[in-house]
Amino acid sequence: MTEKIQFFLPGPSYVTEAARQAMTKPMVGHRSAPFKNFYLSISERLPKVLRTAGDGIIASGSSTLIMESAVISCVASDVLNLVNGAFSDRWHGISKSVGRSADKIDFPWGQAVDPDVVRSALKRKKYDAVTVVHNETSTGVMSPLADVAKAIREESDALILVDTVSSLGGAPVESDAWDLDVVLAGTQKALALPPGLTVFTLSDRAAERAAKVQHRGFYTDLLRYRDKHREGGNITTPAIPLVYALDVQLDAMLAEGMEARWARHEALQKRTAAWAAGRGIEYASAPDARSLTVSCFKPPAGVDPQTIVKKLAERGWTIGGGYGDWKPSTFRIGHMGEVRMSDLDALLVEIDQILDDIKK
Ligand SMILES: Cc1ncc(COP(=O)(O)O)c(C=O)c1O
């Protein structure tokens, strides 16, 4: 890719010219044969990104739609929400808002979910499902998803509902190998597409349980999504331009290779960490929990993180400020999606100059 990226938000992330161009193609009837064939060709490729032999389903709507739908469809009564930041807390809020009996385990912001703590909680009480956010975008923390899933599976028959919104496409996510039940991700993060679509898997186990849950709604019924998907389409009129972009971006991702993509993100994370160590900038997240796709930092003493964000914007560069409770005290660099090492190097030079100017 020859495009230079100056956009490092932890979502939405930079969208390539090719993906943007794809969205300008003419409309087609979403129940027409050509669209059905096109949709089926996407259905063949998407599972390779989600690492499943099952379905890779597309929903028109942002990630929160499928977070809510997963609870409505898969939880008859009791759910355990693992909370270590703003988005995992959102899942707890959603669970309560749809009338489920929701318990939460609070891990400190900046820390990963601890599988042993989850194990102990599951010994005490039976749940229909456990929700976990793989990568807390609010704090730049990546939890050990494979270990958390193993703990849940060994201690209970709870379904494992996973938000991989800011990790899918940028870090290993193994839906089948880790035996996950629902794996969902909005497309605007490491998949490097515009916001508006969510992709997800639904295990057979989850589908069987969902079939027994009453009142799954229409727009929130994951079984309805799955059945329509298998026919070669969506439950309602899909966001067709976004599906065109997904088509192009799927080819780009699979041409790069998922393992190569994860390795690129890991190299970006390591470069960011080395830069921070060199400048004496502290991470806000724990050392054993750092995300491969977003780094969350405390600014140098006496510097307002918003000043760094603002001065970068004046120079034409975008990074993220803090989020939620950490809004006033942190800044975040999203090194995800199509970002290359040369882009990151150039960004870090800009931040160095800004910090040196502030120090003068
Ligand atoms: C980890 C995580 N989960 C959920 C969401 C919510 O996503 P959306 O705004 O696509 O509904 C976000 C958004 O940033 C996120 O980072």
Side-chain angles (χ1 to χ4, degrees):
M1 198 189 72
T2 53
E3 291 155 63
K4 286 200 171 73
I5 296 177
Q6 299 192 186
F7 194 72
F8 295 81
L9 267 192
S13 63
Y14 181 83
V15 177
T16 63
E17 175 73 22
R20 279 181 280 139
Q21 281 302 324
M23 291 191 289
T24 64
K25 286 199 306 186
M27 281 309 112
V28 57
H30 64 289
R31 303 282 180 222
S32 67
F35 187 80
K36 188 173 168 183
N37 290 337
F38 168 66
Y39 187 91
L40 288 172
S41 88
I42 291 185
S43 310
E44 280 167 21
R45 286 168 285 155
L46 189 52
K48 295 182 183 153
V49 172
L50 287 154
R51 308 285 274 200
T52 179
D55 300 302
I57 306 171
I58 304 167
S60 291
S62 83
S63 325
T64 307
L65 168 68
I66 300 302
M67 291 169 80
E68 183 157 327
S69 303
V71 175
I72 290 176
S73 298
C74 298
V75 179
S77 163
D78 292 87
V79 58
L80 177 63
N81 307 115
L82 308 178
V83 175
N84 65 333
F87 294 105
S88 39
D89 200 35
R90 177 179 294 185
W91 229 346
H92 182 57
I94 287 171
S95 303
K96 288 187 296 182
S97 77
V98 295
R100 300 307 189 265
S101 168
D103 293 337
K104 70 169 165 169
I105 306 179
D106 268 315
F107 298 90
W109 277 46
Q111 304 279 337
V113 169
D114 180 344
D116 291 334
V117 175
V118 177
R119 215 179 264 284
S120 306
L122 293 173
K123 282 190 205 300
R124 290 193 296 271
K125 185 169 166 183
K126 190 173 156 44
Y127 293 95
D128 297 317
V130 179
T131 69
V132 56
V133 172
H134 183 203
N135 192 64
E136 249 305 345
T137 325
S138 57
T139 57
V141 163
M142 195 166 272
S143 286
L145 181 55
D147 296 342
V148 174
K150 190 163 176 272
I152 298 169
R153 200 54 84 218
E154 285 174 1
E155 289 303 332
S156 74
D157 66 353
L159 295 174
I160 306 173
L161 312 181
V162 190
D163 167 333
T164 63
V165 173
S166 56
S167 56
L168 188 74
V173 173
E174 298 284 2
S175 300
D176 284 1
W178 298 346
D179 206 10
L180 310 173
D181 291 302
V182 172
V183 175
L184 70 98
T187 50
Q188 76 275 22
K189 308 264 184 187
L191 299 176
L193 282 160
L197 293 183
T198 300
V199 298
F200 67 97
T201 64
L202 181 72
S203 72
D204 289 342
R205 184 191 305 118
E208 277 164 30
R209 300 269 189 94
K212 294 185 193 128
V213 175
Q214 301 252 306
H215 306 305
R216 296 187 302 273
F218 185 96
Y219 225 173
T220 49
D221 181 0
L222 295 190
L223 288 183
R224 189 183 298 273
Y225 281 89
R226 187 198 61 172
D227 294 347
K228 275 287 171 203
H229 168 85
R230 287 184 174 173
E231 288 169 20
N234 297 97
I235 59 170
T236 57
T237 318
I240 293 171
L242 296 177
V243 184
Y244 288 154
L246 172 62
D247 172 45
V248 165
Q249 185 59 11
L250 270 177
D251 279 350
M253 286 192 289
L254 295 174
E256 180 177 10
M258 295 314 290
E259 282 82 358
R261 210 171 159 83
W262 302 336
R264 175 167 56 79
H265 281 78
E266 191 174 344
L268 293 170
Q269 191 278 330
K270 287 204 169 114
R271 170 76 181 99
T272 310
W275 165 81
R279 277 218 74 106
I281 292 181
E282 268 183 64
Y283 271 88
S285 44
D288 60 348
R290 285 174 195 161
S291 161
L292 296 188
T293 56
V294 52
S295 294
C296 184
F297 295 112
K298 298 177 191 167
V303 178
D304 179 348
Q306 275 307 319
T307 305
I308 304 173
V309 175
K310 214 169 119 233
K311 286 191 178 294
L312 276 169
E314 283 162 12
R315 293 165 173 242
W317 296 76
T318 304
I319 62 165
Y323 192 93
D325 293 356
W326 280 10
K327 193 174 173 58
S329 57
T330 62
F331 65 98
R332 296 171 302 155
I333 300 177
H335 33 75
M336 62 173 76
E338 292 309 307
V339 170
R340 308 281 137 169
M341 192 61 84
S342 54
D343 303 316
L344 180 63
D345 284 341
L347 170 74
L348 298 177
V349 168
E350 295 288 330
I351 303 181
D352 278 340
Q353 285 171 3
I354 287 168
L355 293 178
D356 290 345
D357 282 352
I358 292 174
K359 251 208 284 183
K360 272 183 203 154

mmCIF file of all heavy atoms in Angstrom, residues 214-252:
data_model
loop_
_atom_site.group_PDB
_atom_site.id
_atom_site.type_symbol
_atom_site.label_atom_id
_atom_site.label_comp_id
_atom_site.label_asym_id
_atom_site.label_seq_id
_atom_site.Cartn_x
_atom_site.Cartn_y
_atom_site.Cartn_z
ATOM 1 N N GLN A 214 -37.014 -17.217 24.764
ATOM 2 C CA GLN A 214 -38.251 -16.591 24.258
ATOM 3 C C GLN A 214 -37.999 -15.120 23.918
ATOM 4 O O GLN A 214 -37.135 -14.494 24.510
ATOM 5 C CB GLN A 214 -39.304 -16.619 25.368
ATOM 6 C CG GLN A 214 -39.660 -17.997 25.870
ATOM 7 C CD GLN A 214 -41.028 -18.399 25.404
ATOM 8 O OE1 GLN A 214 -41.981 -17.667 25.623
ATOM 9 N NE2 GLN A 214 -41.128 -19.531 24.759
ATOM 10 N N HIS A 215 -38.786 -14.564 23.019
ATOM 11 C CA HIS A 215 -38.806 -13.120 22.761
ATOM 12 C C HIS A 215 -37.418 -12.570 22.412
ATOM 13 O O HIS A 215 -36.872 -11.732 23.110
ATOM 14 C CB HIS A 215 -39.387 -12.366 23.971
ATOM 15 C CG HIS A 215 -40.728 -12.872 24.378
ATOM 16 N ND1 HIS A 215 -41.776 -12.956 23.507
ATOM 17 C CD2 HIS A 215 -41.166 -13.358 25.561
ATOM 18 C CE1 HIS A 215 -42.826 -13.463 24.130
ATOM 19 N NE2 HIS A 215 -42.485 -13.729 25.372
ATOM 20 N N ARG A 216 -36.874 -13.099 21.326
ATOM 21 C CA ARG A 216 -35.538 -12.633 20.930
ATOM 22 C C ARG A 216 -35.612 -11.372 20.066
ATOM 23 O O ARG A 216 -34.593 -10.896 19.578
ATOM 24 C CB ARG A 216 -34.814 -13.745 20.149
ATOM 25 C CG ARG A 216 -34.551 -14.988 20.982
ATOM 26 C CD ARG A 216 -33.694 -15.987 20.225
ATOM 27 N NE ARG A 216 -34.294 -16.400 18.977
ATOM 28 C CZ ARG A 216 -35.172 -17.409 18.840
ATOM 29 N NH1 ARG A 216 -35.538 -18.110 19.891
ATOM 30 N NH2 ARG A 216 -35.672 -17.720 17.660
ATOM 31 N N GLY A 217 -36.823 -10.856 19.887
ATOM 32 C CA GLY A 217 -36.977 -9.650 19.073
ATOM 33 C C GLY A 217 -36.862 -9.978 17.596
ATOM 34 O O GLY A 217 -36.853 -11.144 17.188
ATOM 35 N N PHE A 218 -36.777 -8.945 16.762
ATOM 36 C CA PHE A 218 -36.603 -9.149 15.318
ATOM 37 C C PHE A 218 -35.181 -8.750 14.936
ATOM 38 O O PHE A 218 -34.375 -9.561 14.496
ATOM 39 C CB PHE A 218 -37.640 -8.308 14.549
ATOM 40 C CG PHE A 218 -37.609 -8.558 13.066
ATOM 41 C CD1 PHE A 218 -38.481 -9.469 12.475
ATOM 42 C CD2 PHE A 218 -36.699 -7.894 12.251
ATOM 43 C CE1 PHE A 218 -38.436 -9.712 11.102
ATOM 44 C CE2 PHE A 218 -36.652 -8.133 10.882
ATOM 45 C CZ PHE A 218 -37.522 -9.043 10.312
ATOM 46 N N TYR A 219 -34.862 -7.483 15.213
ATOM 47 C CA TYR A 219 -33.547 -6.950 14.827
ATOM 48 C C TYR A 219 -32.442 -7.512 15.719
ATOM 49 O O TYR A 219 -31.258 -7.343 15.449
ATOM 50 C CB TYR A 219 -33.569 -5.421 14.957
ATOM 51 C CG TYR A 219 -32.963 -4.670 13.785
ATOM 52 C CD1 TYR A 219 -33.055 -3.283 13.736
ATOM 53 C CD2 TYR A 219 -32.299 -5.313 12.743
ATOM 54 C CE1 TYR A 219 -32.511 -2.566 12.680
ATOM 55 C CE2 TYR A 219 -31.751 -4.610 11.699
ATOM 56 C CZ TYR A 219 -31.863 -3.245 11.659
ATOM 57 O OH TYR A 219 -31.316 -2.543 10.621
ATOM 58 N N THR A 220 -32.853 -8.152 16.825
ATOM 59 C CA THR A 220 -31.873 -8.615 17.811
ATOM 60 C C THR A 220 -31.811 -10.141 17.884
ATOM 61 O O THR A 220 -31.199 -10.680 18.799
ATOM 62 C CB THR A 220 -32.246 -8.056 19.201
ATOM 63 O OG1 THR A 220 -33.644 -8.305 19.427
ATOM 64 C CG2 THR A 220 -31.976 -6.576 19.307
ATOM 65 N N ASP A 221 -32.413 -10.809 16.916
ATOM 66 C CA ASP A 221 -32.471 -12.274 16.970
ATOM 67 C C ASP A 221 -31.315 -12.866 16.153
ATOM 68 O O ASP A 221 -31.349 -12.875 14.917
ATOM 69 C CB ASP A 221 -33.830 -12.740 16.416
ATOM 70 C CG ASP A 221 -33.965 -14.250 16.455
ATOM 71 O OD1 ASP A 221 -33.020 -14.935 16.903
ATOM 72 O OD2 ASP A 221 -35.023 -14.745 16.020
ATOM 73 N N LEU A 222 -30.317 -13.390 16.842
ATOM 74 C CA LEU A 222 -29.143 -13.911 16.122
ATOM 75 C C LEU A 222 -29.478 -15.136 15.270
ATOM 76 O O LEU A 222 -28.819 -15.384 14.258
ATOM 77 C CB LEU A 222 -28.015 -14.250 17.111
ATOM 78 C CG LEU A 222 -27.420 -13.061 17.874
ATOM 79 C CD1 LEU A 222 -26.157 -13.496 18.623
ATOM 80 C CD2 LEU A 222 -27.090 -11.878 16.966
ATOM 81 N N LEU A 223 -30.509 -15.861 15.651
ATOM 82 C CA LEU A 223 -30.902 -17.018 14.826
ATOM 83 C C LEU A 223 -31.471 -16.558 13.486
ATOM 84 O O LEU A 223 -31.247 -17.168 12.444
ATOM 85 C CB LEU A 223 -31.939 -17.880 15.549
ATOM 86 C CG LEU A 223 -31.430 -18.691 16.736
ATOM 87 C CD1 LEU A 223 -32.551 -19.547 17.296
ATOM 88 C CD2 LEU A 223 -30.247 -19.558 16.336
ATOM 89 N N ARG A 224 -32.223 -15.465 13.541
ATOM 90 C CA ARG A 224 -32.789 -14.909 12.301
ATOM 91 C C ARG A 224 -31.647 -14.460 11.375
ATOM 92 O O ARG A 224 -31.667 -14.693 10.172
ATOM 93 C CB ARG A 224 -33.705 -13.724 12.645
ATOM 94 C CG ARG A 224 -34.522 -13.199 11.485
ATOM 95 C CD ARG A 224 -35.335 -11.975 11.897
ATOM 96 N NE ARG A 224 -36.295 -12.249 12.950
ATOM 97 C CZ ARG A 224 -37.531 -12.694 12.737
ATOM 98 N NH1 ARG A 224 -37.963 -12.870 11.506
ATOM 99 N NH2 ARG A 224 -38.327 -12.928 13.743
ATOM 100 N N TYR A 225 -30.630 -13.793 11.977
ATOM 101 C CA TYR A 225 -29.459 -13.384 11.181
ATOM 102 C C TYR A 225 -28.813 -14.601 10.530
ATOM 103 O O TYR A 225 -28.470 -14.593 9.352
ATOM 104 C CB TYR A 225 -28.402 -12.700 12.070
ATOM 105 C CG TYR A 225 -28.684 -11.262 12.409
ATOM 106 C CD1 TYR A 225 -29.431 -10.924 13.524
ATOM 107 C CD2 TYR A 225 -28.185 -10.231 11.620
ATOM 108 C CE1 TYR A 225 -29.695 -9.607 13.848
ATOM 109 C CE2 TYR A 225 -28.429 -8.899 11.941
ATOM 110 C CZ TYR A 225 -29.188 -8.597 13.052
ATOM 111 O OH TYR A 225 -29.433 -7.287 13.359
ATOM 112 N N ARG A 226 -28.620 -15.657 11.339
ATOM 113 C CA ARG A 226 -27.935 -16.840 10.823
ATOM 114 C C ARG A 226 -28.728 -17.490 9.685
ATOM 115 O O ARG A 226 -28.176 -17.844 8.645
ATOM 116 C CB ARG A 226 -27.714 -17.851 11.952
ATOM 117 C CG ARG A 226 -26.853 -19.020 11.500
ATOM 118 C CD ARG A 226 -26.973 -20.199 12.423
ATOM 119 N NE ARG A 226 -28.344 -20.707 12.478
ATOM 120 C CZ ARG A 226 -28.695 -21.826 13.103
ATOM 121 N NH1 ARG A 226 -27.793 -22.521 13.749
ATOM 122 N NH2 ARG A 226 -29.951 -22.229 13.116
ATOM 123 N N ASP A 227 -30.035 -17.618 9.875
ATOM 124 C CA ASP A 227 -30.833 -18.300 8.859
ATOM 125 C C ASP A 227 -30.846 -17.522 7.541
ATOM 126 O O ASP A 227 -30.694 -18.085 6.463
ATOM 127 C CB ASP A 227 -32.264 -18.530 9.370
ATOM 128 C CG ASP A 227 -32.273 -19.501 10.546
ATOM 129 O OD1 ASP A 227 -31.222 -20.159 10.765
ATOM 130 O OD2 ASP A 227 -33.291 -19.587 11.262
ATOM 131 N N LYS A 228 -30.988 -16.210 7.625
ATOM 132 C CA LYS A 228 -30.982 -15.387 6.406
ATOM 133 C C LYS A 228 -29.600 -15.422 5.755
ATOM 134 O O LYS A 228 -29.464 -15.458 4.533
ATOM 135 C CB LYS A 228 -31.340 -13.930 6.750
ATOM 136 C CG LYS A 228 -32.832 -13.698 6.803
ATOM 137 C CD LYS A 228 -33.427 -13.697 5.387
ATOM 138 C CE LYS A 228 -34.941 -13.674 5.466
ATOM 139 N NZ LYS A 228 -35.574 -14.203 4.252
ATOM 140 N N HIS A 229 -28.580 -15.390 6.593
ATOM 141 C CA HIS A 229 -27.200 -15.440 6.101
ATOM 142 C C HIS A 229 -26.993 -16.710 5.270
ATOM 143 O O HIS A 229 -26.403 -16.679 4.192
ATOM 144 C CB HIS A 229 -26.247 -15.405 7.296
ATOM 145 C CG HIS A 229 -24.834 -15.733 6.975
ATOM 146 N ND1 HIS A 229 -23.942 -14.791 6.520
ATOM 147 C CD2 HIS A 229 -24.159 -16.913 7.004
ATOM 148 C CE1 HIS A 229 -22.773 -15.374 6.295
ATOM 149 N NE2 HIS A 229 -22.885 -16.659 6.580
ATOM 150 N N ARG A 230 -27.496 -17.815 5.787
ATOM 151 C CA ARG A 230 -27.297 -19.095 5.080
ATOM 152 C C ARG A 230 -28.029 -19.127 3.740
ATOM 153 O O ARG A 230 -27.639 -19.849 2.827
ATOM 154 C CB ARG A 230 -27.724 -20.256 5.976
ATOM 155 C CG ARG A 230 -26.709 -20.459 7.094
ATOM 156 C CD ARG A 230 -27.025 -21.645 7.958
ATOM 157 N NE ARG A 230 -25.944 -21.857 8.913
ATOM 158 C CZ ARG A 230 -25.981 -22.744 9.903
ATOM 159 N NH1 ARG A 230 -27.050 -23.499 10.058
ATOM 160 N NH2 ARG A 230 -24.959 -22.864 10.722
ATOM 161 N N GLU A 231 -29.076 -18.308 3.638
ATOM 162 C CA GLU A 231 -29.783 -18.206 2.339
ATOM 163 C C GLU A 231 -29.045 -17.266 1.384
ATOM 164 O O GLU A 231 -29.407 -17.145 0.225
ATOM 165 C CB GLU A 231 -31.193 -17.636 2.555
ATOM 166 C CG GLU A 231 -32.150 -18.597 3.206
ATOM 167 C CD GLU A 231 -33.445 -17.886 3.631
ATOM 168 O OE1 GLU A 231 -33.760 -16.795 3.100
ATOM 169 O OE2 GLU A 231 -34.124 -18.431 4.520
ATOM 170 N N GLY A 232 -28.058 -16.518 1.893
ATOM 171 C CA GLY A 232 -27.297 -15.600 1.045
ATOM 172 C C GLY A 232 -27.775 -14.166 1.160
ATOM 173 O O GLY A 232 -27.874 -13.459 0.158
ATOM 174 N N GLY A 233 -28.042 -13.725 2.379
ATOM 175 C CA GLY A 233 -28.461 -12.329 2.538
ATOM 176 C C GLY A 233 -28.660 -11.949 3.984
ATOM 177 O O GLY A 233 -28.248 -12.660 4.898
ATOM 178 N N ASN A 234 -29.306 -10.812 4.140
ATOM 179 C CA ASN A 234 -29.475 -10.215 5.474
ATOM 180 C C ASN A 234 -30.939 -10.182 5.858
ATOM 181 O O ASN A 234 -31.808 -10.322 5.009
ATOM 182 C CB ASN A 234 -28.927 -8.781 5.473
ATOM 183 C CG ASN A 234 -27.446 -8.760 5.201
ATOM 184 O OD1 ASN A 234 -27.016 -8.553 4.079
ATOM 185 N ND2 ASN A 234 -26.671 -8.999 6.220
ATOM 186 N N ILE A 235 -31.203 -9.927 7.150
ATOM 187 C CA ILE A 235 -32.598 -9.912 7.599
ATOM 188 C C ILE A 235 -33.346 -8.682 7.085
ATOM 189 O O ILE A 235 -34.548 -8.705 6.912
ATOM 190 C CB ILE A 235 -32.718 -10.003 9.146
ATOM 191 C CG1 ILE A 235 -32.001 -8.850 9.850
ATOM 192 C CG2 ILE A 235 -32.230 -11.333 9.652
ATOM 193 C CD1 ILE A 235 -32.316 -8.775 11.346
ATOM 194 N N THR A 236 -32.615 -7.588 6.892
ATOM 195 C CA THR A 236 -33.243 -6.358 6.381
ATOM 196 C C THR A 236 -32.362 -5.835 5.234
ATOM 197 O O THR A 236 -31.358 -6.460 4.897
ATOM 198 C CB THR A 236 -33.302 -5.272 7.482
ATOM 199 O OG1 THR A 236 -31.967 -5.051 7.934
ATOM 200 C CG2 THR A 236 -34.171 -5.692 8.653
ATOM 201 N N THR A 237 -32.695 -4.684 4.694
ATOM 202 C CA THR A 237 -31.860 -4.108 3.626
ATOM 203 C C THR A 237 -30.473 -3.820 4.208
ATOM 204 O O THR A 237 -30.354 -3.028 5.141
ATOM 205 C CB THR A 237 -32.467 -2.781 3.122
ATOM 206 O OG1 THR A 237 -33.877 -2.943 3.008
ATOM 207 C CG2 THR A 237 -31.860 -2.376 1.800
ATOM 208 N N PRO A 238 -29.439 -4.452 3.685
ATOM 209 C CA PRO A 238 -28.107 -4.225 4.261
ATOM 210 C C PRO A 238 -27.516 -2.892 3.814
ATOM 211 O O PRO A 238 -27.990 -2.298 2.844
ATOM 212 C CB PRO A 238 -27.285 -5.388 3.709
ATOM 213 C CG PRO A 238 -27.966 -5.765 2.432
ATOM 214 C CD PRO A 238 -29.424 -5.427 2.584
ATOM 215 N N ALA A 239 -26.485 -2.452 4.511
ATOM 216 C CA ALA A 239 -25.747 -1.242 4.115
ATOM 217 C C ALA A 239 -24.850 -1.643 2.943
ATOM 218 O O ALA A 239 -23.656 -1.935 3.105
ATOM 219 C CB ALA A 239 -24.935 -0.715 5.287
ATOM 220 N N ILE A 240 -25.439 -1.673 1.749
ATOM 221 C CA ILE A 240 -24.775 -2.269 0.576
ATOM 222 C C ILE A 240 -23.391 -1.650 0.293
ATOM 223 O O ILE A 240 -22.426 -2.386 0.063
ATOM 224 C CB ILE A 240 -25.716 -2.196 -0.661
ATOM 225 C CG1 ILE A 240 -26.931 -3.114 -0.413
ATOM 226 C CG2 ILE A 240 -24.995 -2.591 -1.946
ATOM 227 C CD1 ILE A 240 -28.046 -2.986 -1.437
ATOM 228 N N PRO A 241 -23.239 -0.317 0.333
ATOM 229 C CA PRO A 241 -21.901 0.223 0.052
ATOM 230 C C PRO A 241 -20.836 -0.302 1.035
ATOM 231 O O PRO A 241 -19.690 -0.528 0.647
ATOM 232 C CB PRO A 241 -22.087 1.742 0.214
ATOM 233 C CG PRO A 241 -23.545 1.967 -0.022
ATOM 234 C CD PRO A 241 -24.235 0.750 0.521
ATOM 235 N N LEU A 242 -21.232 -0.502 2.262
ATOM 236 C CA LEU A 242 -20.267 -1.012 3.244
ATOM 237 C C LEU A 242 -19.906 -2.470 2.942
ATOM 238 O O LEU A 242 -18.772 -2.897 3.170
ATOM 239 C CB LEU A 242 -20.836 -0.892 4.664
ATOM 240 C CG LEU A 242 -21.099 0.532 5.148
ATOM 241 C CD1 LEU A 242 -21.733 0.525 6.528
ATOM 242 C CD2 LEU A 242 -19.805 1.339 5.192
ATOM 243 N N VAL A 243 -20.875 -3.212 2.425
ATOM 244 C CA VAL A 243 -20.588 -4.610 2.065
ATOM 245 C C VAL A 243 -19.641 -4.643 0.855
ATOM 246 O O VAL A 243 -18.736 -5.479 0.770
ATOM 247 C CB VAL A 243 -21.890 -5.403 1.802
ATOM 248 C CG1 VAL A 243 -21.571 -6.876 1.540
ATOM 249 C CG2 VAL A 243 -22.851 -5.296 2.984
ATOM 250 N N TYR A 244 -19.789 -3.681 -0.069
ATOM 251 C CA TYR A 244 -18.838 -3.574 -1.190
ATOM 252 C C TYR A 244 -17.418 -3.342 -0.655
ATOM 253 O O TYR A 244 -16.446 -3.908 -1.146
ATOM 254 C CB TYR A 244 -19.187 -2.379 -2.092
ATOM 255 C CG TYR A 244 -20.421 -2.516 -2.958
ATOM 256 C CD1 TYR A 244 -21.125 -1.379 -3.369
ATOM 257 C CD2 TYR A 244 -20.870 -3.755 -3.408
ATOM 258 C CE1 TYR A 244 -22.243 -1.469 -4.189
ATOM 259 C CE2 TYR A 244 -22.002 -3.847 -4.225
ATOM 260 C CZ TYR A 244 -22.674 -2.702 -4.608
ATOM 261 O OH TYR A 244 -23.775 -2.798 -5.411
ATOM 262 N N ALA A 245 -17.328 -2.462 0.336
ATOM 263 C CA ALA A 245 -16.004 -2.156 0.905
ATOM 264 C C ALA A 245 -15.440 -3.385 1.629
ATOM 265 O O ALA A 245 -14.239 -3.679 1.531
ATOM 266 C CB ALA A 245 -16.108 -0.966 1.862
ATOM 267 N N LEU A 246 -16.311 -4.091 2.318
ATOM 268 C CA LEU A 246 -15.876 -5.306 3.019
ATOM 269 C C LEU A 246 -15.287 -6.316 2.029
ATOM 270 O O LEU A 246 -14.258 -6.947 2.299
ATOM 271 C CB LEU A 246 -17.069 -5.915 3.778
ATOM 272 C CG LEU A 246 -16.858 -7.289 4.429
ATOM 273 C CD1 LEU A 246 -15.773 -7.244 5.501
ATOM 274 C CD2 LEU A 246 -18.175 -7.790 5.065
ATOM 275 N N ASP A 247 -15.920 -6.435 0.879
ATOM 276 C CA ASP A 247 -15.450 -7.357 -0.161
ATOM 277 C C ASP A 247 -13.987 -7.061 -0.525
ATOM 278 O O ASP A 247 -13.130 -7.945 -0.506
ATOM 279 C CB ASP A 247 -16.377 -7.182 -1.382
ATOM 280 C CG ASP A 247 -15.907 -7.929 -2.602
ATOM 281 O OD1 ASP A 247 -15.532 -9.097 -2.458
ATOM 282 O OD2 ASP A 247 -15.928 -7.329 -3.703
ATOM 283 N N VAL A 248 -13.726 -5.779 -0.779
ATOM 284 C CA VAL A 248 -12.372 -5.367 -1.190
ATOM 285 C C VAL A 248 -11.378 -5.562 -0.036
ATOM 286 O O VAL A 248 -10.268 -6.069 -0.221
ATOM 287 C CB VAL A 248 -12.417 -3.877 -1.630
ATOM 288 C CG1 VAL A 248 -11.043 -3.271 -1.726
ATOM 289 C CG2 VAL A 248 -13.163 -3.757 -2.951
ATOM 290 N N GLN A 249 -11.796 -5.191 1.148
ATOM 291 C CA GLN A 249 -10.884 -5.254 2.286
ATOM 292 C C GLN A 249 -10.614 -6.703 2.707
ATOM 293 O O GLN A 249 -9.514 -7.031 3.153
ATOM 294 C CB GLN A 249 -11.464 -4.420 3.441
ATOM 295 C CG GLN A 249 -10.580 -4.289 4.665
ATOM 296 C CD GLN A 249 -9.222 -3.643 4.393
ATOM 297 O OE1 GLN A 249 -8.980 -3.101 3.310
ATOM 298 N NE2 GLN A 249 -8.334 -3.720 5.366
ATOM 299 N N LEU A 250 -11.606 -7.575 2.522
ATOM 300 C CA LEU A 250 -11.375 -9.000 2.829
ATOM 301 C C LEU A 250 -10.260 -9.537 1.941
ATOM 302 O O LEU A 250 -9.365 -10.247 2.419
ATOM 303 C CB LEU A 250 -12.652 -9.802 2.571
ATOM 304 C CG LEU A 250 -13.636 -9.971 3.712
ATOM 305 C CD1 LEU A 250 -14.859 -10.743 3.213
ATOM 306 C CD2 LEU A 250 -13.007 -10.692 4.893
ATOM 307 N N ASP A 251 -10.321 -9.193 0.659
ATOM 308 C CA ASP A 251 -9.264 -9.653 -0.247
ATOM 309 C C ASP A 251 -7.907 -9.120 0.193
ATOM 310 O O ASP A 251 -6.914 -9.852 0.187
ATOM 311 C CB ASP A 251 -9.552 -9.190 -1.690
ATOM 312 C CG ASP A 251 -10.554 -10.103 -2.382
ATOM 313 O OD1 ASP A 251 -10.864 -11.175 -1.813
ATOM 314 O OD2 ASP A 251 -11.041 -9.741 -3.471
ATOM 315 N N ALA A 252 -7.875 -7.848 0.585
ATOM 316 C CA ALA A 252 -6.593 -7.252 0.999
ATOM 317 C C ALA A 252 -6.061 -7.965 2.255
ATOM 318 O O ALA A 252 -4.867 -8.273 2.349
ATOM 319 C CB ALA A 252 -6.778 -5.753 1.264
#
